[in-house]
Amino acid sequence: MPDPKGSFIWYELISPDPAASKTFYDAVVGWDIEGEPSGQMDYRMINRSDGGQAGGVLRLTDEMRGHGGRPIWLGYLHVEDVDATISAIEGDGGTTVMPATDIPDIGRIAMIADAMGAPFYIMKPTPPADRSDAVSDVFSVDQAQHVRWNELSSSDQDGAITFFTKHFGWAQDGAMPMGELGDYKFIYSGDVRIGAIMKRPPQSPSGGWTYFIGVDDIDRAIAATGEAGGRIVHGPQEIPGGEFSLHAIDPQGAAFGLVGPRK
């Protein structure tokens, strides 16, 4: 069966220096990002050691910077109709960052932002000709080298929950107290807990998505992050189940998270 509506089906790093990003993430996560771009665009696939793909890396150009582009990780949400979704989202205060575009043999995509300004992609993928029932496996709740958790920090936590449950079929169920920040509210796509939506901390200049990448050993990944020029900004902290998570910034300035066991 195809990916359900609202599932994360791809992740993309926008980087001013894809070669440097390869050096960094290959060391920290264990990926093998392509050394050369695929096709006419400077786009490089992120290869996992199991033979699958974790997403892609797009070069941040001067033209993109001129339109407000910056180093960032972005997720792609599956929709059945890109144009109808854009119309509905704009009707609820969201904005179109990049208009709907058809990519041959890949699908129709657009970049949008929720009413609070957090950007992400929507996509109606074109399945491979020889695998019409293909589904994405870039997200996993427990596997290393996959994104394992999707966290939205929002200036309007309840508004964001209403937005994503309405437009993408998510459900909100359960929460974890976070002191002055209130509850950390869990979100589900179908019966899978895919992440959480939280209130934006006062010291954070802007909200947005943080994607937590699975690693085999959190301490090894921490050491590799520092050695490769990244910076840990919060954590590691133990999470339910006994693993550890952290927030970090890569050498090009893109925020990301890591999650994994301590060995």
Side-chain angles (χ1 to χ4, degrees):
M1 61 180 295
D3 294 289
K5 173 184 176 180
S7 57
F8 281 96
I9 58 173
W10 195 249
Y11 296 95
E12 182 174 285
L13 171 63
I14 299 179
S15 168
D17 189 343
S21 294
K22 170 181 172 58
T23 298
F24 178 79
Y25 287 100
D26 285 4
V28 173
V29 181
W31 288 333
D32 181 14
I33 298 173
E34 288 181 336
E36 298 294 332
S38 302
Q40 295 180 347
M41 294 180 62
D42 194 339
Y43 201 91
R44 308 168 192 227
M45 298 301 176
I46 301 173
N47 298 309
R48 303 191 309 253
S49 58
D50 65 1
Q53 292 177 333
V57 180
L58 173 66
R59 181 182 293 275
L60 177 65
T61 64
D62 290 340
E63 181 181 1
M64 293 164 64
R65 285 187 185 274
H67 289 89
R70 58 186 173 87
I72 190 173
W73 277 97
L74 294 168
Y76 284 66
L77 293 178
H78 181 273
V79 298
E80 286 300 318
D81 188 324
V82 169
D83 298 272
T85 302
I86 290 172
S87 179
I89 284 173
E90 289 181 341
D92 275 349
T95 57
T96 299
V97 180
M98 184 188 81
T101 303
D102 289 310
I103 303 177
D105 301 320
I106 301 296
R108 188 165 178 80
I109 70 170
M111 188 191 300
I112 58 179
D114 66 21
M116 285 61 70
F120 58 98
Y121 286 103
I122 55 174
M123 182 178 189
K124 169 66 174 176
T126 300
D130 59 342
R131 290 188 297 130
S132 60
D133 59 347
V135 296
S136 171
D137 68 350
V138 295
F139 173 81
S140 169
V141 297
D142 59 6
Q143 295 298 306
Q145 296 190 22
H146 299 247
V147 169
R148 292 184 50 189
W149 192 252
N150 308 279
E151 179 184 274
L152 175 60
S153 171
S154 178
S155 59
D156 183 355
Q157 182 185 35
D158 290 336
I161 291 170
T162 298
F163 177 90
F164 284 98
T165 55
K166 175 180 178 180
H167 294 290
F168 298 99
W170 294 354
Q172 193 283 308
D173 184 46
M176 181 174 66
M178 295 182 66
E180 294 181 357
L181 288 177
D183 286 343
Y184 189 73
K185 297 185 177 182
F186 301 122
I187 49 175
Y188 289 76
S189 177
D191 60 357
V192 179
R193 188 162 74 177
I194 59 172
I197 297 177
M198 62 179 287
K199 184 186 300 183
R200 177 175 61 84
Q203 67 271 23
S204 177
S206 62
W209 286 97
T210 301
Y211 303 104
F212 287 76
I213 304 161
V215 293
D216 58 348
D217 181 340
I218 197 71
D219 292 312
R220 180 204 61 76
I222 289 170
T225 297
E227 291 167 1
R231 178 165 59 92
I232 308 298
V233 296
H234 183 260
Q237 60 183 7
E238 189 169 3
I239 57 177
E243 293 188 304
F244 293 80
S245 70
L246 59 85
H247 291 77
I249 297 176
D250 73 19
Q252 282 66 54
F256 68 101
L258 296 175
V259 59
R262 173 164 279 166
K263 295 184 177 180

